[in-house]
Each structure stands twice: as structure tokens, then as C-alpha cells.
Amino acid sequence: MSYWFPRLINIILGLGVATGLVLTGCGAAAIDKPGSGGDSLPFQLIHEAAPLGDQPEQPLYMVVSGLEAWETLSGSLPPEAISAGMQAAADPQNLILVVYAGRQPSSGYSIAVEGIYPQEDVTLVRVEEILPGPEQITEPAVTLPYQIVAVSKKEFPEDADITFVFQDTQNKELARITINTEAAYPVP
């Protein structure tokens, strides 16, 4: 009994901490986060979380240029992400990038923009999906991890079509979106 009791206490405390992190969404707001790597454009972390829920299921990678575009994303992102994005979109000088991992089977999952790299004909957005480690205590609850970052429109030519290519750490293309820096919606 004396051997297992301290271990049981550690497990219970770990589950309590994990539950608290999941329920609070592990949110952060308005923290300057330069992208990793030397050539990344500067960007700012607006919000990140992994709220509980089971909808929407599919991952989404998006660039939003205006406040009115957020209404079209209803049902494609967790409501918390839309709310945080609408607040960030109040600044018309920013492009808002959204990375959403889709429905995940437990706590411990997250997603992050590693960097935004201008190339010759596209802007590469490197995305890392973080999985729970083998020793990490997780809750068996469906979570919806996302991250929202802002990059200044001043980093791009005025009134230009910019193609953003979202790519994971294994160089797999996740999404390709062309947007005009003066328009609120992606260019068809």
C-alpha cells in the first residue's frame, strides 16, 4: 500500500491539472511570437486553445483579411476561435491566419504556426501539430485545437494577390489560399 499510495496521488494530481488545462483552453492572448527560423515574418499570437467539443471535425487553414469574413466561418471553427478572430480582425492592418487541427480524441493535442516565410511566388506558413507524448497524462475527451496569429499587411505589397501555402513539418501541403491584401475574402 505504501508503495502505490504516492503514485496514486501523483496520478490524481496530474489528472486534475490536465483537466484544468483542457477546461480553460490553455489560452494566451496578444503575446509577440517571432516565428522560428531566421527568415520568418514577424507575427503575433492572438489566441490558442483546445476546447472540449466534437464539432467541427475537419482541419482548417485560413487567412482572413476583414471582420465580415468571420461570419462565413461559422460551423467551420470552434465558436471560441471565431470570437477571438473577430476581436483580432478589428485591426484592419492585420491579416489573421487560422490553423485548426480538427477533432482530436483526447487532451494533449495542439497546433502552432512555426513561421511565415516569404518565397518567390508564395508565402509559406509552417505548421506544427503537437501530439501528446507517451508519458503525458491525457483526458479521454474530444478536443478542438487551434491557433490564431496576426501578421501585418505592411509585410506584403499593397493591393496584391498573395498565395499562402500552409505546410506541415514534413513539407506536406495542407492548404493553398490566395487572398488580396485589400479584400476580406480569398480570391477564387
Side-chain angles (χ1 to χ4, degrees):
M1 174 73 175
S2 64
Y3 174 76
W4 288 105
F5 186 72
R7 290 178 181 246
L8 183 60
I9 294 297
N10 285 341
I11 290 171
I12 291 170
L13 288 173
L15 287 174
V17 169
T19 301
L21 291 173
V22 167
L23 293 177
T24 61
C26 306
I31 298 171
D32 286 328
K33 178 182 179 182
S36 60
D39 299 323
S40 177
L41 296 177
F43 63 93
Q44 182 180 36
L45 174 63
I46 300 299
H47 195 261
E48 63 183 355
L52 297 174
D54 61 358
Q55 295 294 325
E57 293 182 25
Q58 299 304 314
L60 178 72
Y61 308 92
M62 192 69 181
V63 179
V64 184
S65 175
L67 187 59
E68 56 279 347
W70 285 97
E71 294 173 13
T72 65
L73 294 174
S74 181
S76 298
L77 287 171
E80 297 91 340
I82 293 174
S83 176
M86 289 180 83
Q87 291 176 2
D91 182 351
Q93 297 305 310
N94 286 335
L95 289 175
I96 309 299
L97 282 66
V98 179
V99 293
Y100 169 57
R103 183 169 75 179
Q104 300 300 323
S106 72
S107 65
Y109 288 84
S110 62
I111 190 166
V113 172
E114 285 189 335
I116 303 169
Y117 304 96
Q119 310 281 308
E120 281 185 35
D121 54 347
V122 299
T123 299
L124 180 66
V125 181
R126 296 280 292 181
V127 177
E128 180 181 16
E129 289 191 62
I130 299 111
L131 309 176
E135 307 236 347
Q136 185 176 353
I137 297 174
T138 61
E139 287 289 314
V142 177
T143 58
L144 308 170
Y146 67 87
Q147 187 179 69
I148 300 171
V149 301
V151 62
S152 174
K153 287 182 182 178
K154 293 176 184 176
E155 299 292 340
F156 303 97
E158 286 187 42
D159 197 24
D161 289 349
I162 308 294
T163 299
F164 290 86
V165 175
F166 291 82
Q167 188 179 74
D168 69 12
T169 54
Q170 284 74 45
N171 299 324
K172 177 184 172 193
E173 186 173 316
L174 304 169
R176 182 177 292 256
I177 297 165
T178 301
I179 190 164
N180 185 287
T181 54
E182 296 302 314
Y185 299 95
V187 176

